[in-house]
Amino acid sequence: MREKQALTTGEVAKYCGVNFRTVIRWIERGHLDAYKLPGRGDNRIPVESFVDFLNNNNMPVPEELDSGGHKLVLLADVDEVSTEIASCVRRAGWDLLVTQDPVHFGFLISQNQPAAIAITRPEFEESVRRVVRDGDHKEMLCISICGSGDGAQGLKDGWLHLRWPQDQQQFILQLTSNQAA
């Protein structure tokens, strides 16, 4: 776990390779969350907000600021099921990146080297399998989640196939056991 809960504008500037005044402008424009200390009014940026800012802007997260949790990249349509999946991922202590675009999904995988990926559209499974196979990726948990009436459950071709919402507990169990590993 991280020791620091918040960073100064100077620390953020150093991590980003910019002047501290640039960081103040990011705060003023609403790009970066911060709060002011009582008295002099110095800005403090919560580490979690700064890490989100880096991820949202495709900037590398320094190891010392990384929460140590795993990352999961989710390829899903915006619907109630994907919202439930995202909630489960976050409750399990994982960092989550979500996209609807298969090309952006591949980009997120290459940039973030996630410990797990999940898809809710089985038709993309084969192309995702190729991206994972052809890329220089470490061991990755691959999960295909389909609707309650579709698909088979279990491990097939290196993928964990789950039905939603029936297999929600198995999904959470898989994430928590994978995080301990």
Side-chain angles (χ1 to χ4, degrees), residues 36-74:
K36 289 196 178 285
L37 293 176
R40 291 183 16 192
D42 292 342
N43 288 299
R44 291 294 181 268
I45 299 93
V47 172
E48 191 171 304
S49 295
F50 180 55
V51 170
D52 287 344
F53 171 82
L54 293 173
N55 285 326
N56 292 336
N57 289 286
N58 296 320
M59 298 169 73
V61 177
E63 283 186 38
E64 64 268 22
L65 298 181
D66 201 350
S67 65
H70 291 295
K71 289 182 183 165
L72 183 140
V73 179
L74 174 64

Side-chain angles (χ1 to χ4, degrees), residues 54-109:
L54 293 173
N55 285 326
N56 292 336
N57 289 286
N58 296 320
M59 298 169 73
V61 177
E63 283 186 38
E64 64 268 22
L65 298 181
D66 201 350
S67 65
H70 291 295
K71 289 182 183 165
L72 183 140
V73 179
L74 174 64
L75 175 62
D77 293 323
V78 177
D79 58 14
E80 190 174 316
V81 171
S82 61
T83 302
E84 291 174 10
I85 293 168
S87 178
C88 287
V89 170
R90 289 186 179 108
R91 278 196 315 267
W94 286 60
D95 295 325
L96 177 67
L97 300 164
V98 184
T99 186
Q100 293 177 279
D101 178 26
V103 174
H104 189 236
F105 182 71
F107 173 77
L108 290 174
I109 291 171

Side-chain angles (χ1 to χ4, degrees), residues 119-136:
I119 59 172
T120 60
R121 297 177 60 190
E123 64 268 22
F124 290 130
E125 190 174 316
E126 184 55 39
S127 58
V128 170
R129 183 178 287 128
R130 269 185 258 131
V131 167
V132 172
R133 183 189 66 221
D134 295 344
D136 184 27

